[in-house]
Amino acid sequence: MSSTTTAPPRPSARRRVTFTAVLLTLTALLFWLPWTGLLAPGARWPWPVQVVGTAFFVVTSVAFPLLLVRAHGRRHSDRASRVAHLMLGVAWVFFAWTVITHVLRLVLAVVGVENPFRARFVAITLLVVGLALVGYGIREARRVPRVKRTDVVLPRLDKAFDGLTIAVLADTHYGAIDRTKWSVGTVAAVNALDPDVVVHVGDIADGTVAQRRGQAAALGDVRARHLFYVSGNHEYGSNAQAWLDHMTELGWTSLHNQHRVLERGDARLVFAGVDDVTGAYSGEAGHGADLDAALAGTRADDAVVLLAHQPSEIPKAVAAGVDLQLSGHTHGGQIWPFHLLVRLQQPVLAGLSRHGERTRLYTSRGAGFWGPPLRVFAPSEISLLTLRAA
């Protein structure tokens, strides 16, 4: 009698199975919960409405994961990415507001409103609100960011640097949608501010330099005495070192765990930058956040402005005595109420915050968008910071 044994699945196979299970579960929730809001049986819609509506949900829920895999798999299809990410944004808006309108459904039931009027009123409310927010979100995502002005008081700042202005760009995310015209408009808005320093704190693009060179070209036209750039987590999916080199070619100083000193007479102000924390796991040799290296050679009494893509790096900045950290990454949540999930990972969503006795953190909501081409209740921004001595 012979026996056979089945080898356990390889780690890569297990990851694929897990990824597929998670993707299908999320797809089912995102696409079929809205069905319960729009086509609930209690609404008693005419049968053509039920059939066409249900068929729409079947087709989109099947197409979405296939397009997403095509967009982010080996093919890296920009066309699939554009469709899949738009579907994701629309599905998220309707998912979130279906939950809210289900509460409305309960309230109407408690006060005695009967079906089919109750279910139809909820469905029409959901459809109108959802479509309005999608339209608003697309418009907000595609427009040139508004300028957000903030004064930042740094107790150790020498009075020689009082009034220094810093324009902060973050999360431009040049990607599958060609936003060359948007990039030119954004750079024009930055130049109109006439800042002393311009910084880009990462997530410049989703794709390689070869793919996104045209969209990023306008960054070579930014005018300021000092231009500083650090990598974000998205660069590490498309050769971060190539982006650091390309930004140098465009006239920026790429701060790869390095610093530069600004001097006005005897006064000094340090601008330091670290790689995104994900660089250490990217496979790119010599990458990963190294704050000690970035600050090596600075003086104990130097005021320091640190560029670090993710706000979560703030505890290290506090421990090192950094005066101001500039970050992005959060997008302010991008599509409400996704900010609730962002706050589980990041200490701050947006704006100026204080950490410890000395350190300030400014978190930009970012200029662009990632994935879904929508911004709902999380407007994009170009941040103009004015440094003030105590």
Side-chain angles (χ1 to χ4, degrees), residues 283-300:
E284 292 200 46
H287 282 259
D290 189 340
L291 185 54
D292 288 340
L295 297 179
T298 60
R299 302 174 185 172

Side-chain angles (χ1 to χ4, degrees), residues 65-250:
L66 297 177
L67 288 167
L68 202 63
V69 169
R70 189 177 179 87
H72 295 282
R74 292 180 180 179
R75 292 181 179 271
H76 292 288
S77 168
D78 278 355
R79 181 178 298 178
S81 179
R82 288 191 291 269
V83 178
H85 289 161
L86 178 60
M87 292 172 68
L88 176 60
V90 174
W92 173 257
V93 169
F94 275 90
F95 171 85
W97 285 87
T98 299
V99 174
I100 294 171
T101 53
H102 275 336
V103 175
L104 173 62
R105 188 189 308 275
L106 290 174
V107 171
L108 293 175
V110 169
V111 300
V113 178
E114 299 291 339
N115 282 328
F117 178 81
R118 180 176 73 233
R120 291 188 179 188
F121 177 80
V122 169
I124 292 171
T125 300
L126 173 59
L127 183 63
V128 170
V129 171
L131 291 177
L133 287 176
V134 168
Y136 159 78
I138 291 173
R139 178 178 175 275
E140 282 292 297
R142 298 296 295 268
R143 67 167 174 78
V144 171
R146 299 182 183 94
V147 176
K148 183 179 179 184
R149 300 170 186 267
T150 306
D151 283 0
V152 182
V153 178
L154 301 180
R156 297 202 309 160
L157 183 70
D158 193 287
K159 290 183 179 180
F161 288 100
D162 186 88
L164 182 94
T165 53
I166 306 172
V168 182
L169 283 173
D171 304 290
T172 44
H173 283 287
Y174 301 122
I177 298 174
D178 187 349
R179 288 182 294 138
T180 301
K181 183 178 179 180
W182 174 88
S183 185
V184 170
T186 297
V187 167
V190 170
N191 287 341
L193 300 173
D194 193 25
D196 298 302
V197 180
V198 179
V199 302
H200 193 308
V201 291
D203 278 6
I204 190 171
D206 296 299
T208 63
V209 171
Q211 290 174 307
R212 312 305 179 204
R213 183 186 302 272
Q215 296 183 57
L219 294 176
D221 297 326
V222 175
R223 295 193 304 270
R225 181 170 296 182
H226 306 283
L227 306 174
F228 299 119
Y229 163 69
V230 293
S231 61
N233 57 301
H234 279 251
E235 282 89 328
Y236 286 103
S238 51
N239 193 342
Q241 185 59 54
W243 276 110
L244 290 168
D245 294 342
H246 185 60
M247 288 295 278
T248 300
E249 293 170 3
L250 292 177

Side-chain angles (χ1 to χ4, degrees), residues 9-29:
R10 291 175 297 175
S12 59
R14 284 198 296 268
R15 283 196 295 269
R16 286 196 295 270
V17 170
T18 300
F19 171 79
T20 301
V22 170
L23 178 59
L24 294 179
T25 300
L26 292 176
T27 299
L29 286 172

Side-chain angles (χ1 to χ4, degrees), residues 161 226 228 255 258-264 266-272 296-299 302-303:
F161 288 100
H226 306 283
F228 299 119
L255 295 176
Q258 298 168 326
H259 73 267
R260 297 292 186 272
V261 180
L262 277 57
E263 296 181 318
R264 290 183 176 178
D266 295 331
R268 290 163 49 98
L269 176 61
V270 171
F271 276 79
T298 60
R299 302 174 185 172
D302 283 339

